[in-house]
């Protein structure tokens, strides 16, 4: 087959979920509700942290950035899923597919870095409390957040541009519900070895290393917690990082299942299901987990409701 330039392959067909014909309305309603709850839940966290003074702390500032990343991810993936459920032939232009992959990858990379920064914040608060206020100041938080977003956007741009330079001979069908890396590379008729090496090196720097930093940090955190003499003190210390630990476990657990288990050992249906966990479920669960397991956020919600009630009462 004669190789053609990627610009010739102008359309990408996403197969999405092919076995939902009989339950189209239920599936559409489910994903629509998930999208609304995800966006509203994360916006609520951003609004609460901005409004409530008791939440003006580094941990909650980083949490707002995680919420921004989750909104980007949900908005990048879920509207496309909704379209795929209603219109069975889900068609994207080649550049739209690349753009979807770019924003997906930026969000996932930012999540990894933000979870690492949040872990470092908890490590200093529990293991080095005397140094915490000196190190984790306003300037530190801004630098970490800006560095996270710039690093994520620029590094992902590198291998995204590399992908666009490949030749794509077809077929132009992706058996997935979004444009992920492996399905895109499978459409290429070029040698993808250089791309795979580049992605592996960048992933090691932005995903694997942060993962080990989190593990080592939590080892020190747990050791420090168990050294606290009182049970009440241990429970209080653990409660400050339990939500973060749960989110990290859920996030990295699904990533490891999808990207470290060889594709030959997984059917596409299993891959799609696991991909749903970190592209749809994780952004949905993050605000729920932090809200249910965090007394400060619950107090923030109660304060907002109380202020609104008094405002409405005074207005009358």
């Amino acid at each position: 087959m004669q190789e053609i330039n990627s610009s010739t392959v102008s359309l990408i067909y996403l197969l999405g979920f092919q076995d939902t014909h009989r339950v189209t309305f239920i599936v559409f309603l489910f994903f629509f509700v998930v999208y609304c709850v995800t966006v509203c839940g994360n916006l609520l966290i951003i609004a609460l942290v901005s409004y409530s003074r008791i939440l003006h702390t580094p941990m909650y500032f980083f949490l707002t950035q995680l919420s921004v990343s989750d909104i980007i991810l949900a908005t990048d993936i879920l509207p496309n899923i909704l379209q795929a459920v209603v219109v069975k032939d889900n068609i994207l232009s080649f550049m739209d597919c690349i753009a979807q992959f770019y924003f997906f990858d930026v969000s996932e990379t930012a999540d990894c870095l933000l979870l690492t920064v949040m872990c470092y914040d908890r490590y200093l608060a529990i293991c080095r409390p005397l140094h915490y206020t000196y190190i984790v100041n306003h300037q530190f938080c801004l630098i970490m957040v800006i560095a996270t977003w710039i690093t994520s956007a620029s590094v992902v741009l590198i291998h995204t541009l590399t992908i666009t330079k490949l030749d794509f001979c077809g077929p132009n069908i992706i058996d997935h519900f979004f444009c992920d890396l492996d399905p895109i590379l499978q459409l290429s008729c070029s040698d993808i070895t250089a791309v795979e090496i580049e992605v592996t090196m960048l992933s090691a720097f932005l995903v694997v290393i942060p993962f080990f930093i989190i593990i080592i940090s939590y080892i020190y955190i747990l050791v420090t917690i168990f050294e606290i003499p009182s049970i009440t003190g241990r429970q209080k210390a653990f409660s400050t990082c339990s939500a973060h630990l749960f989110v990290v476990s859920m996030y990295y657990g699904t990533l490891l299942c999808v990207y470290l288990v060889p594709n030959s050992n997984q059917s596409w249906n299993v891959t799609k299901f696991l991909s749903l966990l970190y592209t749809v479920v994780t952004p949905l669960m993050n605000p729920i987990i932090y809200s249910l397991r965090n007394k400060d956020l619950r107090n923030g919600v109660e304060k907002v409701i109380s202020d609104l009630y008094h405002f409405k009462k005074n207005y009358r």
Side-chain angles (χ1 to χ4, degrees), residues 120-160:
Y120 180 66
D121 172 79
R122 291 300 85 202
Y123 164 78
L124 289 175
I126 295 173
C127 302
R128 299 289 186 270
L130 298 179
H131 299 84
Y132 181 77
T133 54
Y134 174 74
I135 297 175
V136 188
N137 51 34
H138 182 69
Q139 183 180 8
F140 173 85
C141 295
L142 284 178
I143 290 174
M144 288 296 100
V145 166
I146 292 172
T148 292
W149 287 110
I150 290 178
T151 301
S152 301
S154 57
V155 170
V156 172
L157 183 62
I158 292 173
H159 61 254
T160 301

mmCIF file of all heavy atoms in Angstrom, residues 120-160:
data_model
loop_
_atom_site.group_PDB
_atom_site.id
_atom_site.type_symbol
_atom_site.label_atom_id
_atom_site.label_comp_id
_atom_site.label_asym_id
_atom_site.label_seq_id
_atom_site.Cartn_x
_atom_site.Cartn_y
_atom_site.Cartn_z
ATOM 1 N N TYR A 120 3.491 15.871 48.685
ATOM 2 C CA TYR A 120 4.604 16.569 49.334
ATOM 3 C C TYR A 120 4.094 17.533 50.394
ATOM 4 O O TYR A 120 4.696 17.671 51.473
ATOM 5 C CB TYR A 120 5.423 17.316 48.280
ATOM 6 C CG TYR A 120 6.606 18.073 48.845
ATOM 7 C CD1 TYR A 120 7.679 17.395 49.419
ATOM 8 C CD2 TYR A 120 6.648 19.463 48.787
ATOM 9 C CE1 TYR A 120 8.765 18.083 49.932
ATOM 10 C CE2 TYR A 120 7.734 20.161 49.300
ATOM 11 C CZ TYR A 120 8.789 19.461 49.868
ATOM 12 O OH TYR A 120 9.863 20.149 50.383
ATOM 13 N N ASP A 121 2.963 18.180 50.101
ATOM 14 C CA ASP A 121 2.328 19.074 51.072
ATOM 15 C C ASP A 121 1.944 18.312 52.336
ATOM 16 O O ASP A 121 2.188 18.781 53.455
ATOM 17 C CB ASP A 121 1.092 19.710 50.440
ATOM 18 C CG ASP A 121 0.276 20.507 51.438
ATOM 19 O OD1 ASP A 121 0.658 21.644 51.740
ATOM 20 O OD2 ASP A 121 -0.752 19.982 51.921
ATOM 21 N N ARG A 122 1.364 17.130 52.178
ATOM 22 C CA ARG A 122 0.966 16.312 53.338
ATOM 23 C C ARG A 122 2.194 15.773 54.071
ATOM 24 O O ARG A 122 2.198 15.657 55.303
ATOM 25 C CB ARG A 122 0.078 15.147 52.883
ATOM 26 C CG ARG A 122 -1.307 15.544 52.382
ATOM 27 C CD ARG A 122 -2.111 16.260 53.464
ATOM 28 N NE ARG A 122 -1.820 17.701 53.501
ATOM 29 C CZ ARG A 122 -2.020 18.470 54.553
ATOM 30 N NH1 ARG A 122 -2.496 17.954 55.673
ATOM 31 N NH2 ARG A 122 -1.738 19.760 54.513
ATOM 32 N N TYR A 123 3.251 15.448 53.319
ATOM 33 C CA TYR A 123 4.489 14.960 53.942
ATOM 34 C C TYR A 123 5.084 16.025 54.863
ATOM 35 O O TYR A 123 5.456 15.739 56.014
ATOM 36 C CB TYR A 123 5.492 14.571 52.855
ATOM 37 C CG TYR A 123 6.905 14.426 53.367
ATOM 38 C CD1 TYR A 123 7.299 13.279 54.060
ATOM 39 C CD2 TYR A 123 7.843 15.437 53.167
ATOM 40 C CE1 TYR A 123 8.601 13.148 54.537
ATOM 41 C CE2 TYR A 123 9.133 15.313 53.636
ATOM 42 C CZ TYR A 123 9.510 14.170 54.329
ATOM 43 O OH TYR A 123 10.795 14.047 54.800
ATOM 44 N N LEU A 124 5.157 17.260 54.372
ATOM 45 C CA LEU A 124 5.712 18.336 55.187
ATOM 46 C C LEU A 124 4.819 18.635 56.390
ATOM 47 O O LEU A 124 5.306 18.864 57.501
ATOM 48 C CB LEU A 124 5.885 19.605 54.348
ATOM 49 C CG LEU A 124 6.999 19.582 53.305
ATOM 50 C CD1 LEU A 124 6.973 20.859 52.482
ATOM 51 C CD2 LEU A 124 8.365 19.414 53.964
ATOM 52 N N ALA A 125 3.492 18.606 56.178
ATOM 53 C CA ALA A 125 2.559 18.932 57.268
ATOM 54 C C ALA A 125 2.626 17.905 58.391
ATOM 55 O O ALA A 125 2.490 18.260 59.569
ATOM 56 C CB ALA A 125 1.132 19.011 56.718
ATOM 57 N N ILE A 126 2.851 16.635 58.049
ATOM 58 C CA ILE A 126 2.838 15.570 59.063
ATOM 59 C C ILE A 126 4.236 15.237 59.571
ATOM 60 O O ILE A 126 4.453 15.072 60.775
ATOM 61 C CB ILE A 126 2.157 14.304 58.497
ATOM 62 C CG1 ILE A 126 0.678 14.592 58.211
ATOM 63 C CG2 ILE A 126 2.281 13.125 59.459
ATOM 64 C CD1 ILE A 126 -0.043 13.463 57.506
ATOM 65 N N CYS A 127 5.195 15.157 58.667
ATOM 66 C CA CYS A 127 6.548 14.736 59.052
ATOM 67 C C CYS A 127 7.475 15.902 59.409
ATOM 68 O O CYS A 127 8.420 15.718 60.177
ATOM 69 C CB CYS A 127 7.184 13.920 57.912
ATOM 70 S SG CYS A 127 6.259 12.451 57.439
ATOM 71 N N ARG A 128 7.230 17.068 58.842
ATOM 72 C CA ARG A 128 8.074 18.239 59.114
ATOM 73 C C ARG A 128 7.195 19.445 59.455
ATOM 74 O O ARG A 128 7.248 20.485 58.782
ATOM 75 C CB ARG A 128 8.955 18.558 57.896
ATOM 76 C CG ARG A 128 9.916 17.468 57.495
ATOM 77 C CD ARG A 128 11.059 17.319 58.489
ATOM 78 N NE ARG A 128 12.050 16.366 58.020
ATOM 79 C CZ ARG A 128 12.031 15.074 58.272
ATOM 80 N NH1 ARG A 128 11.023 14.575 59.003
ATOM 81 N NH2 ARG A 128 12.960 14.268 57.807
ATOM 82 N N PRO A 129 6.388 19.347 60.484
ATOM 83 C CA PRO A 129 5.426 20.424 60.780
ATOM 84 C C PRO A 129 6.087 21.767 61.100
ATOM 85 O O PRO A 129 5.518 22.817 60.809
ATOM 86 C CB PRO A 129 4.650 19.887 61.983
ATOM 87 C CG PRO A 129 5.546 18.851 62.596
ATOM 88 C CD PRO A 129 6.297 18.249 61.462
ATOM 89 N N LEU A 130 7.287 21.747 61.695
ATOM 90 C CA LEU A 130 7.962 22.999 62.040
ATOM 91 C C LEU A 130 8.461 23.745 60.806
ATOM 92 O O LEU A 130 8.647 24.963 60.844
ATOM 93 C CB LEU A 130 9.130 22.722 62.997
ATOM 94 C CG LEU A 130 8.744 22.113 64.352
ATOM 95 C CD1 LEU A 130 9.996 21.862 65.191
ATOM 96 C CD2 LEU A 130 7.775 23.031 65.102
ATOM 97 N N HIS A 131 8.708 22.996 59.713
ATOM 98 C CA HIS A 131 9.197 23.618 58.485
ATOM 99 C C HIS A 131 8.058 23.939 57.511
ATOM 100 O O HIS A 131 8.303 24.579 56.480
ATOM 101 C CB HIS A 131 10.201 22.699 57.787
ATOM 102 C CG HIS A 131 11.417 22.390 58.599
ATOM 103 N ND1 HIS A 131 11.444 21.381 59.548
ATOM 104 C CD2 HIS A 131 12.656 22.963 58.619
ATOM 105 C CE1 HIS A 131 12.643 21.342 60.112
ATOM 106 N NE2 HIS A 131 13.391 22.294 59.575
ATOM 107 N N TYR A 132 6.854 23.494 57.817
ATOM 108 C CA TYR A 132 5.757 23.560 56.846
ATOM 109 C C TYR A 132 5.436 24.991 56.428
ATOM 110 O O TYR A 132 5.426 25.315 55.238
ATOM 111 C CB TYR A 132 4.508 22.891 57.430
ATOM 112 C CG TYR A 132 3.328 22.903 56.484
ATOM 113 C CD1 TYR A 132 3.269 22.017 55.414
ATOM 114 C CD2 TYR A 132 2.284 23.815 56.652
ATOM 115 C CE1 TYR A 132 2.205 22.025 54.540
ATOM 116 C CE2 TYR A 132 1.209 23.839 55.778
ATOM 117 C CZ TYR A 132 1.170 22.936 54.727
ATOM 118 O OH TYR A 132 0.112 22.964 53.861
ATOM 119 N N THR A 133 5.175 25.865 57.403
ATOM 120 C CA THR A 133 4.766 27.234 57.061
ATOM 121 C C THR A 133 5.891 28.019 56.388
ATOM 122 O O THR A 133 5.618 28.946 55.609
ATOM 123 C CB THR A 133 4.320 27.989 58.324
ATOM 124 O OG1 THR A 133 5.358 27.915 59.320
ATOM 125 C CG2 THR A 133 3.039 27.379 58.884
ATOM 126 N N TYR A 134 7.138 27.636 56.665
ATOM 127 C CA TYR A 134 8.274 28.321 56.047
ATOM 128 C C TYR A 134 8.430 27.915 54.586
ATOM 129 O O TYR A 134 8.704 28.751 53.716
ATOM 130 C CB TYR A 134 9.556 28.008 56.821
ATOM 131 C CG TYR A 134 10.805 28.561 56.179
ATOM 132 C CD1 TYR A 134 11.093 29.924 56.230
ATOM 133 C CD2 TYR A 134 11.691 27.718 55.505
ATOM 134 C CE1 TYR A 134 12.236 30.434 55.627
ATOM 135 C CE2 TYR A 134 12.833 28.217 54.897
ATOM 136 C CZ TYR A 134 13.104 29.577 54.968
ATOM 137 O OH TYR A 134 14.228 30.076 54.367
ATOM 138 N N ILE A 135 8.257 26.606 54.291
ATOM 139 C CA ILE A 135 8.459 26.104 52.920
ATOM 140 C C ILE A 135 7.222 26.315 52.061
ATOM 141 O O ILE A 135 7.295 26.854 50.954
ATOM 142 C CB ILE A 135 8.843 24.607 52.955
ATOM 143 C CG1 ILE A 135 10.166 24.417 53.689
ATOM 144 C CG2 ILE A 135 8.932 24.050 51.536
ATOM 145 C CD1 ILE A 135 10.573 22.968 53.869
ATOM 146 N N VAL A 136 6.066 25.869 52.571
ATOM 147 C CA VAL A 136 4.828 25.910 51.770
ATOM 148 C C VAL A 136 4.133 27.254 51.986
ATOM 149 O O VAL A 136 3.147 27.360 52.711
ATOM 150 C CB VAL A 136 3.901 24.731 52.141
ATOM 151 C CG1 VAL A 136 2.714 24.671 51.182
ATOM 152 C CG2 VAL A 136 4.655 23.418 52.114
ATOM 153 N N ASN A 137 4.667 28.275 51.341
ATOM 154 C CA ASN A 137 4.064 29.601 51.407
ATOM 155 C C ASN A 137 3.338 29.913 50.101
ATOM 156 O O ASN A 137 3.252 29.075 49.197
ATOM 157 C CB ASN A 137 5.123 30.670 51.708
ATOM 158 C CG ASN A 137 6.315 30.558 50.760
ATOM 159 O OD1 ASN A 137 6.165 30.201 49.594
ATOM 160 N ND2 ASN A 137 7.507 30.852 51.267
ATOM 161 N N HIS A 138 2.826 31.116 50.001
ATOM 162 C CA HIS A 138 2.048 31.513 48.816
ATOM 163 C C HIS A 138 2.884 31.429 47.543
ATOM 164 O O HIS A 138 2.416 30.949 46.498
ATOM 165 C CB HIS A 138 1.520 32.937 49.012
ATOM 166 C CG HIS A 138 0.677 33.431 47.875
ATOM 167 N ND1 HIS A 138 -0.574 32.920 47.600
ATOM 168 C CD2 HIS A 138 0.923 34.392 46.923
ATOM 169 C CE1 HIS A 138 -1.078 33.540 46.537
ATOM 170 N NE2 HIS A 138 -0.197 34.435 46.122
ATOM 171 N N GLN A 139 4.133 31.874 47.631
ATOM 172 C CA GLN A 139 5.008 31.846 46.462
ATOM 173 C C GLN A 139 5.283 30.412 46.016
ATOM 174 O O GLN A 139 5.273 30.110 44.809
ATOM 175 C CB GLN A 139 6.326 32.551 46.790
ATOM 176 C CG GLN A 139 7.286 32.636 45.604
ATOM 177 C CD GLN A 139 8.584 33.336 45.967
ATOM 178 O OE1 GLN A 139 8.826 33.633 47.130
ATOM 179 N NE2 GLN A 139 9.408 33.609 44.980
ATOM 180 N N PHE A 140 5.524 29.512 46.976
ATOM 181 C CA PHE A 140 5.772 28.102 46.662
ATOM 182 C C PHE A 140 4.582 27.496 45.925
ATOM 183 O O PHE A 140 4.752 26.785 44.923
ATOM 184 C CB PHE A 140 6.047 27.330 47.953
ATOM 185 C CG PHE A 140 6.142 25.844 47.765
ATOM 186 C CD1 PHE A 140 7.335 25.253 47.385
ATOM 187 C CD2 PHE A 140 5.037 25.033 47.986
ATOM 188 C CE1 PHE A 140 7.420 23.875 47.216
ATOM 189 C CE2 PHE A 140 5.112 23.662 47.825
ATOM 190 C CZ PHE A 140 6.307 23.078 47.439
ATOM 191 N N CYS A 141 3.369 27.767 46.406
ATOM 192 C CA CYS A 141 2.158 27.211 45.797
ATOM 193 C C CYS A 141 2.001 27.691 44.355
ATOM 194 O O CYS A 141 1.698 26.900 43.454
ATOM 195 C CB CYS A 141 0.928 27.596 46.610
ATOM 196 S SG CYS A 141 0.888 26.878 48.267
ATOM 197 N N LEU A 142 2.216 28.987 44.139
ATOM 198 C CA LEU A 142 2.085 29.528 42.785
ATOM 199 C C LEU A 142 3.120 28.920 41.842
ATOM 200 O O LEU A 142 2.812 28.560 40.698
ATOM 201 C CB LEU A 142 2.235 31.053 42.808
ATOM 202 C CG LEU A 142 1.042 31.855 43.322
ATOM 203 C CD1 LEU A 142 1.370 33.344 43.322
ATOM 204 C CD2 LEU A 142 -0.201 31.591 42.475
ATOM 205 N N ILE A 143 4.359 28.800 42.329
ATOM 206 C CA ILE A 143 5.426 28.237 41.498
ATOM 207 C C ILE A 143 5.105 26.786 41.127
ATOM 208 O O ILE A 143 5.263 26.370 39.972
ATOM 209 C CB ILE A 143 6.784 28.314 42.224
ATOM 210 C CG1 ILE A 143 7.243 29.767 42.322
ATOM 211 C CG2 ILE A 143 7.839 27.483 41.493
ATOM 212 C CD1 ILE A 143 8.499 29.961 43.153
ATOM 213 N N MET A 144 4.636 25.999 42.098
ATOM 214 C CA MET A 144 4.320 24.598 41.840
ATOM 215 C C MET A 144 3.187 24.448 40.830
ATOM 216 O O MET A 144 3.244 23.610 39.926
ATOM 217 C CB MET A 144 3.934 23.901 43.151
ATOM 218 C CG MET A 144 5.070 23.652 44.113
ATOM 219 S SD MET A 144 6.326 22.506 43.457
ATOM 220 C CE MET A 144 7.585 23.663 42.911
ATOM 221 N N VAL A 145 2.157 25.264 40.973
ATOM 222 C CA VAL A 145 1.004 25.171 40.073
ATOM 223 C C VAL A 145 1.381 25.621 38.665
ATOM 224 O O VAL A 145 1.047 24.947 37.672
ATOM 225 C CB VAL A 145 -0.176 26.009 40.615
ATOM 226 C CG1 VAL A 145 -1.242 26.206 39.557
ATOM 227 C CG2 VAL A 145 -0.761 25.332 41.841
ATOM 228 N N ILE A 146 2.074 26.752 38.562
ATOM 229 C CA ILE A 146 2.490 27.240 37.235
ATOM 230 C C ILE A 146 3.418 26.238 36.567
ATOM 231 O O ILE A 146 3.278 25.935 35.367
ATOM 232 C CB ILE A 146 3.171 28.617 37.365
ATOM 233 C CG1 ILE A 146 2.153 29.670 37.803
ATOM 234 C CG2 ILE A 146 3.805 29.037 36.040
ATOM 235 C CD1 ILE A 146 2.757 31.017 38.133
ATOM 236 N N ALA A 147 4.371 25.693 37.333
ATOM 237 C CA ALA A 147 5.300 24.709 36.783
ATOM 238 C C ALA A 147 4.564 23.457 36.325
ATOM 239 O O ALA A 147 4.902 22.861 35.287
ATOM 240 C CB ALA A 147 6.348 24.342 37.832
ATOM 241 N N THR A 148 3.556 23.051 37.080
ATOM 242 C CA THR A 148 2.777 21.862 36.717
ATOM 243 C C THR A 148 2.089 22.036 35.372
ATOM 244 O O THR A 148 2.187 21.179 34.481
ATOM 245 C CB THR A 148 1.718 21.570 37.803
ATOM 246 O OG1 THR A 148 2.379 21.155 39.001
ATOM 247 C CG2 THR A 148 0.766 20.478 37.353
ATOM 248 N N TRP A 149 1.388 23.154 35.197
ATOM 249 C CA TRP A 149 0.642 23.361 33.960
ATOM 250 C C TRP A 149 1.563 23.602 32.770
ATOM 251 O O TRP A 149 1.312 23.089 31.664
ATOM 252 C CB TRP A 149 -0.337 24.521 34.126
ATOM 253 C CG TRP A 149 -1.512 24.170 34.981
ATOM 254 C CD1 TRP A 149 -1.803 24.629 36.229
ATOM 255 C CD2 TRP A 149 -2.572 23.251 34.651
ATOM 256 N NE1 TRP A 149 -2.969 24.060 36.698
ATOM 257 C CE2 TRP A 149 -3.464 23.211 35.751
ATOM 258 C CE3 TRP A 149 -2.843 22.464 33.535
ATOM 259 C CZ2 TRP A 149 -4.604 22.410 35.760
ATOM 260 C CZ3 TRP A 149 -3.989 21.666 33.539
ATOM 261 C CH2 TRP A 149 -4.853 21.642 34.638
ATOM 262 N N ILE A 150 2.630 24.367 32.968
ATOM 263 C CA ILE A 150 3.561 24.623 31.856
ATOM 264 C C ILE A 150 4.261 23.330 31.445
ATOM 265 O O ILE A 150 4.395 23.028 30.247
ATOM 266 C CB ILE A 150 4.592 25.695 32.251
ATOM 267 C CG1 ILE A 150 3.922 27.063 32.374
ATOM 268 C CG2 ILE A 150 5.725 25.761 31.219
ATOM 269 C CD1 ILE A 150 4.857 28.175 32.801
ATOM 270 N N THR A 151 4.702 22.553 32.428
ATOM 271 C CA THR A 151 5.367 21.277 32.132
ATOM 272 C C THR A 151 4.426 20.331 31.403
ATOM 273 O O THR A 151 4.802 19.708 30.394
ATOM 274 C CB THR A 151 5.866 20.616 33.430
ATOM 275 O OG1 THR A 151 6.764 21.492 34.093
ATOM 276 C CG2 THR A 151 6.568 19.304 33.130
ATOM 277 N N SER A 152 3.210 20.214 31.895
ATOM 278 C CA SER A 152 2.239 19.302 31.272
ATOM 279 C C SER A 152 1.949 19.719 29.835
ATOM 280 O O SER A 152 1.989 18.891 28.912
ATOM 281 C CB SER A 152 0.938 19.287 32.077
ATOM 282 O OG SER A 152 1.155 18.880 33.404
ATOM 283 N N ALA A 153 1.672 21.006 29.631
ATOM 284 C CA ALA A 153 1.302 21.482 28.292
ATOM 285 C C ALA A 153 2.455 21.360 27.303
ATOM 286 O O ALA A 153 2.256 20.949 26.150
ATOM 287 C CB ALA A 153 0.831 22.933 28.373
ATOM 288 N N SER A 154 3.668 21.692 27.734
ATOM 289 C CA SER A 154 4.813 21.697 26.821
ATOM 290 C C SER A 154 5.318 20.293 26.521
ATOM 291 O O SER A 154 5.621 19.971 25.366
ATOM 292 C CB SER A 154 5.941 22.554 27.396
ATOM 293 O OG SER A 154 6.321 22.089 28.681
ATOM 294 N N VAL A 155 5.396 19.440 27.543
ATOM 295 C CA VAL A 155 5.905 18.085 27.327
ATOM 296 C C VAL A 155 4.944 17.275 26.463
ATOM 297 O O VAL A 155 5.368 16.553 25.554
ATOM 298 C CB VAL A 155 6.148 17.376 28.680
ATOM 299 C CG1 VAL A 155 6.443 15.901 28.464
ATOM 300 C CG2 VAL A 155 7.311 18.035 29.405
ATOM 301 N N VAL A 156 3.660 17.381 26.730
ATOM 302 C CA VAL A 156 2.675 16.660 25.918
ATOM 303 C C VAL A 156 2.692 17.178 24.486
ATOM 304 O O VAL A 156 2.507 16.408 23.537
ATOM 305 C CB VAL A 156 1.263 16.800 26.535
ATOM 306 C CG1 VAL A 156 0.210 16.223 25.594
ATOM 307 C CG2 VAL A 156 1.203 16.091 27.878
ATOM 308 N N LEU A 157 2.933 18.475 24.316
ATOM 309 C CA LEU A 157 3.005 19.050 22.973
ATOM 310 C C LEU A 157 4.139 18.427 22.164
ATOM 311 O O LEU A 157 4.004 18.242 20.943
ATOM 312 C CB LEU A 157 3.196 20.563 23.071
ATOM 313 C CG LEU A 157 3.226 21.330 21.743
ATOM 314 C CD1 LEU A 157 1.896 21.186 21.005
ATOM 315 C CD2 LEU A 157 3.539 22.802 21.984
ATOM 316 N N ILE A 158 5.223 18.066 22.833
ATOM 317 C CA ILE A 158 6.380 17.494 22.138
ATOM 318 C C ILE A 158 5.993 16.211 21.414
ATOM 319 O O ILE A 158 6.202 16.074 20.201
ATOM 320 C CB ILE A 158 7.534 17.233 23.130
ATOM 321 C CG1 ILE A 158 8.099 18.552 23.651
ATOM 322 C CG2 ILE A 158 8.638 16.409 22.464
ATOM 323 C CD1 ILE A 158 9.126 18.373 24.757
ATOM 324 N N HIS A 159 5.420 15.237 22.166
ATOM 325 C CA HIS A 159 5.117 13.977 21.469
ATOM 326 C C HIS A 159 3.836 14.062 20.643
ATOM 327 O O HIS A 159 3.633 13.254 19.745
ATOM 328 C CB HIS A 159 5.092 12.779 22.437
ATOM 329 C CG HIS A 159 4.082 12.839 23.517
ATOM 330 N ND1 HIS A 159 4.412 13.096 24.816
ATOM 331 C CD2 HIS A 159 2.741 12.636 23.513
ATOM 332 C CE1 HIS A 159 3.328 13.048 25.564
ATOM 333 N NE2 HIS A 159 2.302 12.771 24.798
ATOM 334 N N THR A 160 2.984 15.054 20.907
ATOM 335 C CA THR A 160 1.820 15.242 20.039
ATOM 336 C C THR A 160 2.261 15.723 18.658
ATOM 337 O O THR A 160 1.763 15.238 17.625
ATOM 338 C CB THR A 160 0.840 16.266 20.655
ATOM 339 O OG1 THR A 160 0.421 15.804 21.934
ATOM 340 C CG2 THR A 160 -0.386 16.426 19.769
#
